[in-house]
Amino acid sequence: VSGEIIEVHPQLEVGYHVTSGKLVTTPASPSVQRDADQLLRIDPRDYEQRVEQAANRIAELETEIAQLGVQKKNVARQVAKGKSVLKTLTEEYERLKAAVARKVGTPSDLNKALLEVQRFDDTLIQLENQAASIPHQIAAAEQRLLTSKSEKQRAQNDLQRAQIVPPFDGV
């Protein structure tokens, strides 16, 4: 990573012994994890912000996916109700059609019923189209979520690289 060096180990000079992070084992005591000596530290603010931005984007996408799931359920309920209403309107249209054929109803009422059936059928088609598009929207949001998780991992790796430690023990 690149950036301004904001901290240098105070004893970093030729001949100073440095150690990498490792597990120290002795026969007399339990194993202890020893921290590595920090040689340099690069200003981590940009990398911390990238991690935070990626985490926020992940939360935003998880919320979007949840909202799409709710929307999918709501549209499915609307479609079911719309089909029921369309069935009722169609039955009413057929009754008016029979009444007009027997000269009991008026053609004007028949036309109104037909227009109502067609209008509701159009509404139902729009709802079905909306219901069909939601799984694609969810899949796209899930892909963006995977990308954001990858970006967060990369930002965390860069943040970790802002602390320079020796890869092995040395002088």
Side-chain angles (χ1 to χ4, degrees):
V1 295
S2 63
E4 179 182 352
I5 295 174
I6 61 169
E7 190 177 321
V8 178
H9 192 286
Q11 296 176 332
L12 185 61
E13 55 187 46
V14 174
Y16 179 73
H17 181 74
V18 294
T19 59
S20 64
K22 62 180 178 181
L23 190 61
V24 178
T25 57
T26 58
S29 61
S31 300
V32 177
Q33 179 68 34
R34 185 168 192 283
D35 292 336
D37 291 332
Q38 179 178 302
L39 304 177
L40 304 170
R41 196 174 96 169
I42 296 173
D43 186 359
R45 290 178 296 180
D46 290 341
Y47 304 110
E48 290 168 345
Q49 288 173 352
R50 287 183 191 158
V51 170
E52 185 178 335
Q53 286 172 344
N56 291 341
R57 181 71 177 142
I58 288 168
E60 179 183 316
L61 287 167
E62 288 171 342
T63 300
E64 180 182 339
I65 290 169
Q67 287 174 336
L68 286 168
V70 170
Q71 185 179 355
K72 182 179 178 181
K73 289 177 186 175
N74 291 341
V75 170
R77 281 198 322 258
Q78 288 176 326
V79 167
K81 184 177 179 181
K83 286 180 179 180
S84 172
V85 171
L86 182 61
K87 180 182 175 194
T88 303
L89 289 172
T90 303
E91 289 170 356
E92 180 64 20
Y93 170 74
E94 292 300 326
R95 279 193 294 275
L96 282 171
K97 191 174 175 184
V100 169
R102 290 187 316 243
K103 307 280 187 206
V104 178
T106 65
S108 177
D109 289 339
L110 182 64
N111 286 339
K112 286 179 188 176
L114 178 60
L115 288 174
E116 190 68 22
V117 167
Q118 290 172 343
R119 185 183 63 80
F120 219 84
D121 192 36
D122 289 343
T123 301
L124 192 57
I125 289 170
Q126 289 174 353
L127 286 172
E128 288 171 341
N129 289 342
Q130 186 178 356
S133 72
I134 291 174
H136 300 293
Q137 293 171 357
I138 290 173
E142 287 172 343
Q143 289 299 317
R144 290 192 309 273
L145 179 63
L146 290 175
T147 300
S148 293
K149 286 181 178 179
S150 174
E151 288 171 359
K152 181 181 178 190
Q153 184 60 50
R154 185 174 53 208
Q156 287 173 328
N157 291 345
D158 287 345
L159 179 60
Q160 190 176 27
R161 291 181 186 122
Q163 277 191 313
I164 311 302
V165 294
F168 50 84
D169 293 349
V171 177

